[in-house]
Amino acid sequence: MDEPTDITITSERRGDACVLFPVGDIDLSRSPVLRESMKTALDDKPGRLVIELSGVSYMDSSGVATLVEAMQISRKAGVGLVLCSLTDRVRSIFEIARLEQVFTIAEDLDGAMNT
Amino acid sequence: MTDACTSKPRLDPAIELRLMSHPTYLAGARELVSGIARRLGFDDVGSGKIALAVDEALANIINHGYQREPGRPIWIKLWPEAGPGAPGVSIVIEDEARHVDPAKICGRDLEDVKPGGLGVHIIKQVMDVADYSQRDPVGMRLTMVKHLQDTEAIKQDG
């Protein structure tokens, strides 16, 4: 099944941290793109992986599942995973799934770098 | 078709959308549902949650019902609920996937943090009614209702 990829994900190195900036909705059709980006970032063994989510106005459970998977991989690799800049809609799905205490979530990118 | 709560016969839906079982169409479906929910009085977060429930239901059909086989039909039907004291929206989603025992469709234990399996929990959490049933002779039906809460209503005054 061909999947559309109308989501953009840029990455930036800040010290030993890798910051990913996804822009677009993250749903069943787009979460594989996020998964691949996070896998590539973790392969570089950063000290910390930050996902800056201000450009994501919508996320469904497939996006959340992708982040849970990344959290489990990063823990095994000893890499800290931090989410930041969540929009209200995206934050609400973490609350519904009762995952807001499971992830490290910062208000903004500065907070994520200093968590 | 009958009302999920009262068993009264249903009028034709105000909106009926037929889409194919492909993730490409999820964004359009939720934008339609979200836009209608807003017109019916739900605020941004409320309409977003209704669209999320529809998105999760469609994703479950694509992934599990049709096991990612593209080109299979899914129907979304929507009725405004204008009854006294309980305005809101009713949404029915139907497919032609294999029958599943509705009693076995339930959310998983959230204490067990793992990828996947959140869709049914989210649907039941954000909607006031989420009722699965089997269609005759084939397919499943999900009937969902969301009532407009005072706290969710779009502020009409400036």
Side-chain angles (χ1 to χ4, degrees), chain B residues 16-20 25 71-77 96:
Chain B
E16 184 168 1
L17 174 68
R18 179 181 186 274
L19 66 154
M20 293 298 185
Y25 309 118
R72 303 293 303 278
I74 304 172
W75 295 269
I76 302 173
K77 301 173 184 178
E96 291 184 343

Side-chain angles (χ1 to χ4, degrees), chain B residues 58-152:
Chain B
L58 297 176
N60 278 347
I61 293 169
I62 292 169
N63 273 339
H64 305 299
Y66 290 139
Q67 303 193 343
R68 289 233 160 197
E69 180 186 350
R72 303 293 303 278
I74 304 172
W75 295 269
I76 302 173
K77 301 173 184 178
L78 189 148
W79 292 260
E81 291 289 342
V89 63
S90 290
I91 300 169
V92 171
I93 299 178
E94 296 176 317
D95 60 53
E96 291 184 343
R98 64 188 164 80
H99 279 161
V100 177
D101 180 356
K104 292 183 176 172
I105 303 174
C106 52
R108 68 167 170 81
D109 179 11
L110 296 184
E111 297 300 315
D112 181 15
V113 177
K114 62 183 180 182
L118 289 170
V120 173
H121 168 80
I122 289 170
I123 292 167
K124 290 181 181 286
Q125 188 77 23
V126 305
M127 302 302 282
D128 295 322
V129 174
D131 179 50
Y132 286 92
S133 58
Q134 295 179 348
R135 297 175 69 217
D136 185 25
V138 68
M140 297 297 293
R141 174 183 298 115
L142 170 60
T143 301
M144 301 186 287
V145 180
K146 183 67 176 176
H147 299 298
L148 188 61
Q149 307 294 324
D150 289 343
T151 54
E152 291 175 327

